[in-house]
Amino acid sequence: MEYRMIDDVKSSLLGFGCMRFPVDKDGGIDEQEATKMLDIAREAGVTYFDTAYPYHNKESEPFVGKYLSQFPRDSYYLASKLPCWEIHSLEDAKKMFALQLERLQKDYIDFYLLHALNLDRWNEMESYGVYDYLATLKAEGKIKHLGFSFHDNYEAFEKIITAKKWDFCQIQYNYMDTDEQAGDKGYLLAEKLGVPMVIMEPIKGGSLASLPDEVTKPFKEMAPDCSVASWALRWVGSHSNVKVILSGMSTYDQVMDNLKTFEKFEPLSEQELVAVKRVKEHLESRIKNGCTGCRYCMPCPKGVDIPQNFAIWNAYGKYMNVGGTKWEWNHEIEDSAKAKNCVGCGKCETLCPQKLSIRENLKNLQKELDELLTK
């Protein structure tokens, strides 16, 4: 197993993300199968286990805490997170942390994060004095390492990471999202500041694990026995300031494939990086239209979120991830903001720097994504 130093801790590079366990017929965690997966990962040397208050309808923390209680406390590292959207006062933060210790059956948490920060949430947490409170918990030994997970743009990331002293940070990072959220610029800034990084979504929610054969030809030509997912994981791990790569494993086979990748981890060679670049270029060529998300077309008089509609549509074109696209179309955009609400006024097209046929594209994507829901 590959290990890296994150602050004073020698952690497995592969971290077990505890948000996608197999589920039973009632929708709860299939504890027997999940335990089997955790056992094989731990026995192979995985030491970093990442959970959070909302995962699995709030079942993940109690299950993971109970599972880990079987083993010596110094044999693993447990990460969990403060659900900032639930926090509306300092007292809320105090109650939540105490509740999480109880749910996890622990006296302390090794890696504790402010969960899913964007700039607005960070400003709210600052107004309550949450960081300072968590810093006191760290001084008391109830938190060993204090960090944050992040979902916003680079400018917000820069403000948050430079505002306080952080032991680590967690961002979404993969070979397709180098210009999304914190991205490459965020990685380089954290490296410059000496802030170790934990990476989530290295396989982009599974999209980079099951690509069409014509896309992955460069991978198969070089390493026919290696999974497509292993390339995404190795790309992330080839960055030296990445100390833990989280994988939300949901099947035993996924655990075994990941263990194979990290047992004798090898950074990508120059030739392999070229192969990744070719795959990325192929995927980007599959987009439905050339929307850059600049938002010059907004606001729409009828409330259509044009860039968000196109983002979901273009992601489907790239990855053909049916399950993920269905979820995004149902949960990531309000019904009132969907393309069907377009009345064809054309205002957006007069403002679009890319000169896209926005009205026609909106009609096509609404039809295509609605049809996808029936599959």
Side-chain angles (χ1 to χ4, degrees):
M1 177 60 60
E2 176 82 3
Y3 293 90
R4 293 187 181 176
M5 296 301 297
I6 175 168
D7 195 10
D8 59 342
V9 164
K10 186 178 180 181
S11 171
S12 57
L13 180 57
L14 174 61
F16 204 123
C18 301
M19 65 177 293
R20 295 192 178 101
F21 286 129
V23 296
D24 59 25
K25 57 182 177 59
D26 298 318
I29 297 172
D30 183 337
E31 295 194 7
Q32 182 175 350
E33 187 65 17
T35 296
K36 177 183 174 184
M37 292 162 56
L38 288 166
D39 279 344
I40 193 67
R42 192 189 61 81
E43 290 165 6
V46 173
T47 58
Y48 193 102
F49 299 87
D50 173 271
T51 184
Y53 180 73
Y55 292 174
H56 277 286
N57 296 316
K58 303 181 182 178
E59 293 181 3
S60 180
E61 277 187 334
F63 170 68
V64 173
K66 179 182 176 182
Y67 171 80
L68 291 174
S69 292
Q70 305 172 74
F71 311 109
R73 186 62 183 87
D74 61 356
S75 68
Y76 60 85
Y77 304 107
L78 175 60
S80 197
K81 311 173 186 74
L82 180 74
C84 296
W85 57 93
E86 301 265 2
I87 306 304
H88 305 294
S89 68
L90 182 58
E91 190 61 28
D92 284 349
K94 292 179 179 180
K95 290 179 179 178
M96 179 59 70
F97 185 78
L99 175 62
Q100 288 179 283
L101 284 183
E102 180 182 337
R103 283 158 54 83
L104 292 164
Q105 303 177 33
K106 301 292 176 284
D107 296 323
Y108 64 88
I109 299 174
D110 299 283
F111 291 86
Y112 195 66
L113 305 87
L114 279 77
H115 197 175
L117 283 187
N118 55 34
L119 192 57
D120 288 341
R121 278 186 185 153
W122 168 243
N123 289 335
E124 185 179 6
M125 294 304 102
E126 271 289 82
S127 72
Y128 304 144
V130 169
Y131 175 93
D132 292 339
Y133 166 65
L134 297 179
T136 65
L137 292 178
K138 181 184 172 186
E140 294 169 4
K142 294 180 180 179
I143 293 171
K144 299 299 183 182
H145 305 86
L146 179 58
F148 66 94
S149 66
F150 179 79
H151 292 287
D152 203 339
N153 57 31
Y154 170 77
E155 289 71 26
F157 181 78
E158 183 177 12
K159 288 180 180 178
I160 294 169
I161 199 171
T162 56
K164 301 289 183 180
K165 176 176 172 53
W166 300 101
D167 298 318
F168 70 108
C169 67
Q170 182 171 309
I171 67 167
Q172 174 178 320
Y173 198 44
N174 56 67
Y175 65 74
M176 290 301 297
D177 287 339
T178 54
D179 295 320
E180 298 293 323
Q181 297 192 24
D184 279 343
K185 290 172 66 178
Y187 171 83
L188 291 172
L189 177 61
E191 185 176 50
K192 178 182 177 182
L193 295 173
V195 179
M197 305 197 84
V198 175
I199 301 302
M200 56 185 163
E201 301 294 344
I203 312 177
K204 200 171 174 64
S207 291
L208 301 181
S210 55
L211 298 171
D213 289 343
E214 68 270 17
V215 175
T216 59
K217 185 178 178 181
F219 294 162
K220 295 303 181 183
E221 287 176 345
M222 294 190 69
D225 296 330
C226 293
S227 69
V228 175
S230 71
W231 284 83
L233 294 168
R234 289 178 61 213
W235 182 89
V236 175
S238 297
H239 295 73
S240 61
N241 195 43
V242 171
K243 308 304 181 182
V244 178
I245 303 173
L246 297 175
S247 179
M249 295 169 269
S250 55
T251 69
Y252 184 81
D253 288 345
Q254 289 174 3
V255 176
M256 296 306 294
D257 185 59
N258 285 348
L259 293 177
K260 179 181 177 183
T261 300
F262 288 93
E263 180 183 16
K264 294 181 180 178
F265 183 81
E266 295 182 8
L268 294 175
S269 66
E270 289 299 320
Q271 188 178 9
E272 288 172 324
L273 286 169
V274 171
V276 171
K277 182 180 179 182
R278 288 173 59 196
V279 168
K280 180 176 182 176
E281 289 172 348
H282 192 154
L283 287 170
E284 289 176 339
S285 74
R286 293 156 57 94
I287 61 173
K288 300 288 188 173
N289 72 9
C291 177
T292 64
C294 70
R295 302 190 74 83
Y296 282 109
C297 58
M298 297 295 286
C300 165
K302 294 300 179 180
V304 177
D305 190 335
I306 298 167
Q308 181 66 1
N309 276 270
F310 287 157
I312 295 171
W313 193 41
N314 281 324
Y316 176 59
K318 285 182 190 177
Y319 309 111
M320 302 304 287
N321 185 335
V322 174
T325 306
K326 283 182 178 181
W327 194 93
E328 289 184 359
W329 193 233
N330 282 327
H331 298 95
E332 291 290 317
I333 186 168
E334 297 289 338
D335 197 62
S336 60
K338 288 185 176 180
K340 65 184 179 183
N341 297 293
C342 171
V343 296
C345 70
K347 178 184 174 184
C348 53
E349 293 185 10
T350 67
L351 300 171
C352 177
Q354 310 302 322
K355 304 302 179 185
L356 302 177
S357 300
I358 293 176
R359 289 172 289 183
E360 181 182 355
N361 287 173
L362 288 173
K363 288 180 183 178
N364 291 339
L365 80 85
Q366 183 74 47
K367 181 175 183 293
E368 188 171 347
L369 296 181
D370 282 348
E371 288 175 351
L372 186 66
L373 296 181
T374 65
K375 292 185 179 180

